[in-house]
mmCIF file of all heavy atoms in Angstrom:
data_model
loop_
_atom_site.group_PDB
_atom_site.id
_atom_site.type_symbol
_atom_site.label_atom_id
_atom_site.label_comp_id
_atom_site.label_asym_id
_atom_site.label_seq_id
_atom_site.Cartn_x
_atom_site.Cartn_y
_atom_site.Cartn_z
ATOM 1 N N PHE A 896 -1.716 5.789 -14.721
ATOM 2 C CA PHE A 896 -1.930 6.583 -13.394
ATOM 3 C C PHE A 896 -1.840 5.691 -12.179
ATOM 4 O O PHE A 896 -1.060 6.022 -11.200
ATOM 5 C CB PHE A 896 -3.352 7.182 -13.348
ATOM 6 C CG PHE A 896 -3.677 7.885 -12.196
ATOM 7 C CD1 PHE A 896 -3.167 9.113 -11.766
ATOM 8 C CD2 PHE A 896 -4.620 7.277 -11.251
ATOM 9 C CE1 PHE A 896 -3.513 9.719 -10.676
ATOM 10 C CE2 PHE A 896 -4.940 7.914 -10.104
ATOM 11 C CZ PHE A 896 -4.394 9.025 -9.813
ATOM 12 N N ILE A 897 -2.362 4.572 -12.329
ATOM 13 C CA ILE A 897 -2.279 3.587 -11.172
ATOM 14 C C ILE A 897 -0.793 3.123 -10.920
ATOM 15 O O ILE A 897 -0.428 3.030 -9.814
ATOM 16 C CB ILE A 897 -3.247 2.296 -11.472
ATOM 17 C CG1 ILE A 897 -4.680 2.846 -11.359
ATOM 18 C CG2 ILE A 897 -2.896 1.194 -10.432
ATOM 19 C CD1 ILE A 897 -5.671 1.807 -11.751
ATOM 20 N N VAL A 898 -0.105 2.819 -12.026
ATOM 21 C CA VAL A 898 1.320 2.490 -11.864
ATOM 22 C C VAL A 898 1.989 3.583 -11.209
ATOM 23 O O VAL A 898 2.821 3.473 -10.305
ATOM 24 C CB VAL A 898 1.838 2.063 -13.239
ATOM 25 C CG1 VAL A 898 3.381 2.048 -13.147
ATOM 26 C CG2 VAL A 898 1.317 0.842 -13.819
ATOM 27 N N PHE A 899 1.793 4.808 -11.687
ATOM 28 C CA PHE A 899 2.450 6.056 -11.214
ATOM 29 C C PHE A 899 2.149 6.330 -9.650
ATOM 30 O O PHE A 899 3.050 6.792 -8.951
ATOM 31 C CB PHE A 899 2.088 7.312 -11.996
ATOM 32 C CG PHE A 899 2.633 8.529 -11.591
ATOM 33 C CD1 PHE A 899 3.963 8.882 -11.743
ATOM 34 C CD2 PHE A 899 1.921 9.502 -10.862
ATOM 35 C CE1 PHE A 899 4.474 10.069 -11.438
ATOM 36 C CE2 PHE A 899 2.311 10.716 -10.476
ATOM 37 C CZ PHE A 899 3.713 11.048 -10.732
ATOM 38 N N ILE A 900 0.847 6.195 -9.389
ATOM 39 C CA ILE A 900 0.453 6.584 -7.937
ATOM 40 C C ILE A 900 0.508 5.463 -7.018
ATOM 41 O O ILE A 900 0.400 5.846 -5.764
ATOM 42 C CB ILE A 900 -0.948 7.204 -8.246
ATOM 43 C CG1 ILE A 900 -1.345 8.182 -6.977
ATOM 44 C CG2 ILE A 900 -2.033 6.093 -8.182
ATOM 45 C CD1 ILE A 900 -0.985 9.535 -7.385
ATOM 46 N N ASN A 901 0.685 4.291 -7.330
ATOM 47 C CA ASN A 901 0.644 3.073 -6.460
ATOM 48 C C ASN A 901 1.486 3.372 -5.156
ATOM 49 O O ASN A 901 1.053 3.033 -4.027
ATOM 50 C CB ASN A 901 0.902 1.841 -7.141
ATOM 51 C CG ASN A 901 0.468 0.645 -6.444
ATOM 52 O OD1 ASN A 901 -0.673 0.613 -6.023
ATOM 53 N ND2 ASN A 901 1.293 -0.361 -6.350
ATOM 54 N N ASP A 902 2.749 3.829 -5.290
ATOM 55 C CA ASP A 902 3.548 3.914 -4.149
ATOM 56 C C ASP A 902 3.086 4.982 -3.232
ATOM 57 O O ASP A 902 3.288 4.897 -1.891
ATOM 58 C CB ASP A 902 5.055 4.069 -4.521
ATOM 59 C CG ASP A 902 5.275 5.277 -5.329
ATOM 60 O OD1 ASP A 902 4.455 5.707 -6.111
ATOM 61 O OD2 ASP A 902 6.412 5.971 -5.197
ATOM 62 N N LEU A 903 2.380 5.995 -3.773
ATOM 63 C CA LEU A 903 1.761 6.997 -2.830
ATOM 64 C C LEU A 903 0.680 6.368 -1.951
ATOM 65 O O LEU A 903 0.699 6.696 -0.854
ATOM 66 C CB LEU A 903 1.221 8.246 -3.709
ATOM 67 C CG LEU A 903 0.540 9.266 -2.915
ATOM 68 C CD1 LEU A 903 1.431 9.953 -1.831
ATOM 69 C CD2 LEU A 903 -0.015 10.341 -3.852
ATOM 70 N N ILE A 904 -0.033 5.567 -2.563
ATOM 71 C CA ILE A 904 -1.087 4.859 -1.819
ATOM 72 C C ILE A 904 -0.501 4.135 -0.568
ATOM 73 O O ILE A 904 -1.017 4.162 0.573
ATOM 74 C CB ILE A 904 -1.917 3.862 -2.558
ATOM 75 C CG1 ILE A 904 -2.496 4.471 -3.927
ATOM 76 C CG2 ILE A 904 -3.000 3.191 -1.896
ATOM 77 C CD1 ILE A 904 -3.283 5.758 -3.683
ATOM 78 N N ASP A 905 0.602 3.424 -0.750
ATOM 79 C CA ASP A 905 1.341 2.686 0.355
ATOM 80 C C ASP A 905 1.738 3.725 1.432
ATOM 81 O O ASP A 905 1.695 3.434 2.542
ATOM 82 C CB ASP A 905 2.446 1.922 -0.168
ATOM 83 C CG ASP A 905 2.106 0.798 -1.130
ATOM 84 O OD1 ASP A 905 1.012 0.361 -1.072
ATOM 85 O OD2 ASP A 905 2.885 0.339 -1.981
ATOM 86 N N VAL A 906 2.244 4.919 1.024
ATOM 87 C CA VAL A 906 2.747 5.818 1.989
ATOM 88 C C VAL A 906 1.522 6.427 2.809
ATOM 89 O O VAL A 906 1.637 6.432 4.036
ATOM 90 C CB VAL A 906 3.359 7.066 1.158
ATOM 91 C CG1 VAL A 906 3.702 8.190 2.199
ATOM 92 C CG2 VAL A 906 4.733 6.630 0.602
ATOM 93 N N LEU A 907 0.501 6.742 2.124
ATOM 94 C CA LEU A 907 -0.630 7.256 2.846
ATOM 95 C C LEU A 907 -1.348 6.374 3.789
ATOM 96 O O LEU A 907 -1.791 6.783 4.824
ATOM 97 C CB LEU A 907 -1.643 7.840 1.917
ATOM 98 C CG LEU A 907 -1.130 9.111 1.030
ATOM 99 C CD1 LEU A 907 -2.122 9.563 -0.032
ATOM 100 C CD2 LEU A 907 -0.959 10.283 2.031
ATOM 101 N N GLU A 908 -1.348 5.111 3.375
ATOM 102 C CA GLU A 908 -2.039 4.112 4.237
ATOM 103 C C GLU A 908 -1.280 3.823 5.538
ATOM 104 O O GLU A 908 -1.913 3.380 6.552
ATOM 105 C CB GLU A 908 -2.291 2.732 3.372
ATOM 106 C CG GLU A 908 -3.382 3.001 2.405
ATOM 107 C CD GLU A 908 -3.691 1.642 1.617
ATOM 108 O OE1 GLU A 908 -2.800 0.743 1.576
ATOM 109 O OE2 GLU A 908 -4.736 1.681 0.999
ATOM 110 N N ARG A 909 -0.098 4.194 5.588
ATOM 111 C CA ARG A 909 0.795 4.007 6.796
ATOM 112 C C ARG A 909 0.248 4.925 7.959
ATOM 113 O O ARG A 909 0.495 4.832 9.042
ATOM 114 C CB ARG A 909 2.228 4.342 6.591
ATOM 115 C CG ARG A 909 3.003 3.362 5.834
ATOM 116 C CD ARG A 909 4.423 3.754 5.681
ATOM 117 N NE ARG A 909 4.865 3.145 4.386
ATOM 118 C CZ ARG A 909 5.942 3.838 3.683
ATOM 119 N NH1 ARG A 909 6.339 4.868 3.936
ATOM 120 N NH2 ARG A 909 6.231 3.327 2.470
ATOM 121 N N TYR A 910 -0.509 6.043 7.444
ATOM 122 C CA TYR A 910 -1.000 7.092 8.371
ATOM 123 C C TYR A 910 -2.569 6.824 8.436
ATOM 124 O O TYR A 910 -3.241 7.801 8.853
ATOM 125 C CB TYR A 910 -0.750 8.416 7.845
ATOM 126 C CG TYR A 910 0.800 8.732 7.711
ATOM 127 C CD1 TYR A 910 1.408 8.580 6.540
ATOM 128 C CD2 TYR A 910 1.520 9.140 8.849
ATOM 129 C CE1 TYR A 910 2.719 8.757 6.491
ATOM 130 C CE2 TYR A 910 2.789 9.312 8.736
ATOM 131 C CZ TYR A 910 3.479 9.130 7.502
ATOM 132 O OH TYR A 910 4.807 9.377 7.429
ATOM 133 N N ASP A 911 -2.950 5.661 8.235
ATOM 134 C CA ASP A 911 -4.531 5.275 8.252
ATOM 135 C C ASP A 911 -5.355 6.075 7.372
ATOM 136 O O ASP A 911 -6.564 6.401 7.702
ATOM 137 C CB ASP A 911 -4.932 5.445 9.771
ATOM 138 C CG ASP A 911 -4.347 4.418 10.575
ATOM 139 O OD1 ASP A 911 -4.039 3.203 9.988
ATOM 140 O OD2 ASP A 911 -4.073 4.658 11.757
ATOM 141 N N ILE A 912 -4.754 6.756 6.255
ATOM 142 C CA ILE A 912 -5.535 7.361 5.384
ATOM 143 C C ILE A 912 -6.234 6.355 4.443
ATOM 144 O O ILE A 912 -5.573 5.555 3.889
ATOM 145 C CB ILE A 912 -4.650 8.415 4.510
ATOM 146 C CG1 ILE A 912 -3.941 9.321 5.422
ATOM 147 C CG2 ILE A 912 -5.481 9.128 3.369
ATOM 148 C CD1 ILE A 912 -4.789 10.339 6.024
ATOM 149 N N THR A 913 -7.441 6.583 4.138
ATOM 150 C CA THR A 913 -8.166 5.660 3.148
ATOM 151 C C THR A 913 -8.045 6.317 1.813
ATOM 152 O O THR A 913 -8.329 7.399 1.659
ATOM 153 C CB THR A 913 -9.689 5.596 3.549
ATOM 154 O OG1 THR A 913 -9.757 5.052 4.871
ATOM 155 C CG2 THR A 913 -10.318 4.639 2.639
ATOM 156 N N CYS A 914 -7.583 5.452 0.784
ATOM 157 C CA CYS A 914 -7.409 5.970 -0.546
ATOM 158 C C CYS A 914 -8.298 5.085 -1.509
ATOM 159 O O CYS A 914 -8.356 3.856 -1.332
ATOM 160 C CB CYS A 914 -5.930 5.678 -0.946
ATOM 161 S SG CYS A 914 -4.880 6.647 -0.005
ATOM 162 N N LYS A 915 -9.045 5.737 -2.374
ATOM 163 C CA LYS A 915 -9.925 5.105 -3.271
ATOM 164 C C LYS A 915 -9.350 5.619 -4.770
ATOM 165 O O LYS A 915 -9.221 6.804 -4.931
ATOM 166 C CB LYS A 915 -11.367 5.490 -3.144
ATOM 167 C CG LYS A 915 -11.871 5.163 -1.785
ATOM 168 C CD LYS A 915 -12.005 3.601 -1.657
ATOM 169 C CE LYS A 915 -12.633 3.276 -0.294
ATOM 170 N NZ LYS A 915 -12.694 1.901 -0.071
ATOM 171 N N LEU A 916 -9.125 4.711 -5.663
ATOM 172 C CA LEU A 916 -8.716 5.006 -6.974
ATOM 173 C C LEU A 916 -9.868 4.618 -7.928
ATOM 174 O O LEU A 916 -10.486 3.522 -7.784
ATOM 175 C CB LEU A 916 -7.552 4.064 -7.337
ATOM 176 C CG LEU A 916 -6.327 4.558 -6.620
ATOM 177 C CD1 LEU A 916 -5.186 3.389 -6.862
ATOM 178 C CD2 LEU A 916 -5.729 5.782 -7.161
ATOM 179 N N TYR A 917 -10.090 5.463 -8.892
ATOM 180 C CA TYR A 917 -11.125 5.039 -9.941
ATOM 181 C C TYR A 917 -10.664 5.723 -11.225
ATOM 182 O O TYR A 917 -10.476 6.929 -11.269
ATOM 183 C CB TYR A 917 -12.541 5.470 -9.750
ATOM 184 C CG TYR A 917 -13.390 5.260 -10.743
ATOM 185 C CD1 TYR A 917 -13.990 4.050 -10.986
ATOM 186 C CD2 TYR A 917 -13.903 6.233 -11.675
ATOM 187 C CE1 TYR A 917 -14.832 3.676 -11.964
ATOM 188 C CE2 TYR A 917 -14.718 5.839 -12.681
ATOM 189 C CZ TYR A 917 -15.275 4.705 -12.890
ATOM 190 O OH TYR A 917 -16.097 4.358 -13.779
ATOM 191 N N ASP A 920 -8.445 8.934 -11.179
ATOM 192 C CA ASP A 920 -8.819 9.869 -9.940
ATOM 193 C C ASP A 920 -8.426 9.319 -8.634
ATOM 194 O O ASP A 920 -8.329 7.996 -8.531
ATOM 195 C CB ASP A 920 -10.258 10.117 -9.844
ATOM 196 C CG ASP A 920 -10.658 11.077 -11.010
ATOM 197 O OD1 ASP A 920 -9.987 11.926 -11.428
ATOM 198 O OD2 ASP A 920 -11.859 10.853 -11.596
ATOM 199 N N LEU A 921 -7.916 9.950 -7.654
ATOM 200 C CA LEU A 921 -7.592 9.579 -6.349
ATOM 201 C C LEU A 921 -8.327 10.282 -5.388
ATOM 202 O O LEU A 921 -8.474 11.624 -5.399
ATOM 203 C CB LEU A 921 -6.065 9.723 -6.114
ATOM 204 C CG LEU A 921 -5.671 9.504 -4.645
ATOM 205 C CD1 LEU A 921 -5.848 8.170 -4.115
ATOM 206 C CD2 LEU A 921 -4.151 10.029 -4.488
ATOM 207 N N LYS A 922 -9.053 9.688 -4.382
ATOM 208 C CA LYS A 922 -9.781 10.253 -3.405
ATOM 209 C C LYS A 922 -9.164 9.748 -2.089
ATOM 210 O O LYS A 922 -8.980 8.576 -1.966
ATOM 211 C CB LYS A 922 -11.183 9.987 -3.406
ATOM 212 C CG LYS A 922 -12.045 10.608 -2.384
ATOM 213 C CD LYS A 922 -13.598 10.267 -2.491
ATOM 214 C CE LYS A 922 -14.386 10.909 -1.420
ATOM 215 N NZ LYS A 922 -15.826 10.560 -1.695
ATOM 216 N N LEU A 923 -8.833 10.688 -1.168
ATOM 217 C CA LEU A 923 -8.295 10.253 0.135
ATOM 218 C C LEU A 923 -9.068 10.907 1.301
ATOM 219 O O LEU A 923 -9.493 12.000 1.131
ATOM 220 C CB LEU A 923 -6.768 10.447 0.185
ATOM 221 C CG LEU A 923 -6.263 11.762 -0.171
ATOM 222 C CD1 LEU A 923 -5.958 12.498 1.243
ATOM 223 C CD2 LEU A 923 -4.915 11.573 -0.881
ATOM 224 N N ALA A 939 0.585 12.767 7.157
ATOM 225 C CA ALA A 939 0.283 12.136 5.962
ATOM 226 C C ALA A 939 0.391 13.204 4.942
ATOM 227 O O ALA A 939 0.844 12.952 3.768
ATOM 228 C CB ALA A 939 -1.214 11.607 5.916
ATOM 229 N N ALA A 942 4.052 13.693 4.199
ATOM 230 C CA ALA A 942 4.497 12.633 3.427
ATOM 231 C C ALA A 942 4.109 12.857 2.005
ATOM 232 O O ALA A 942 4.813 12.528 1.013
ATOM 233 C CB ALA A 942 3.987 11.338 3.956
ATOM 234 N N LEU A 943 2.903 13.364 1.735
ATOM 235 C CA LEU A 943 2.442 13.521 0.291
ATOM 236 C C LEU A 943 3.232 14.586 -0.312
ATOM 237 O O LEU A 943 3.624 14.412 -1.352
ATOM 238 C CB LEU A 943 0.941 13.867 0.417
ATOM 239 C CG LEU A 943 0.290 14.452 -0.851
ATOM 240 C CD1 LEU A 943 0.224 13.403 -1.933
ATOM 241 C CD2 LEU A 943 -1.147 14.935 -0.639
ATOM 242 N N TRP A 946 6.662 13.076 -1.134
ATOM 243 C CA TRP A 946 6.470 12.250 -2.327
ATOM 244 C C TRP A 946 6.449 13.110 -3.651
ATOM 245 O O TRP A 946 7.060 12.765 -4.568
ATOM 246 C CB TRP A 946 5.144 11.402 -2.141
ATOM 247 C CG TRP A 946 4.969 10.523 -3.254
ATOM 248 C CD1 TRP A 946 5.455 9.103 -3.460
ATOM 249 C CD2 TRP A 946 4.129 10.601 -4.581
ATOM 250 N NE1 TRP A 946 5.126 8.653 -4.581
ATOM 251 C CE2 TRP A 946 4.197 9.504 -5.198
ATOM 252 C CE3 TRP A 946 3.470 11.677 -4.938
ATOM 253 C CZ2 TRP A 946 3.583 9.444 -6.470
ATOM 254 C CZ3 TRP A 946 2.747 11.632 -6.216
ATOM 255 C CH2 TRP A 946 2.851 10.407 -6.905
#
Side-chain angles (χ1 to χ4, degrees):
F896 174 76
I897 290 169
V898 168
F899 176 77
I900 204 86
N901 198 44
D902 61 325
L903 175 60
I904 303 307
D905 295 336
V906 169
L907 293 174
E908 286 180 345
R909 288 183 214 145
Y910 300 96
D911 295 326
I912 301 294
T913 302
C914 300
K915 300 292 183 186
L916 293 165
Y917 179 77
D920 292 322
L921 167 66
K922 180 179 184 178
L923 52 99
L943 172 63
W946 181 86

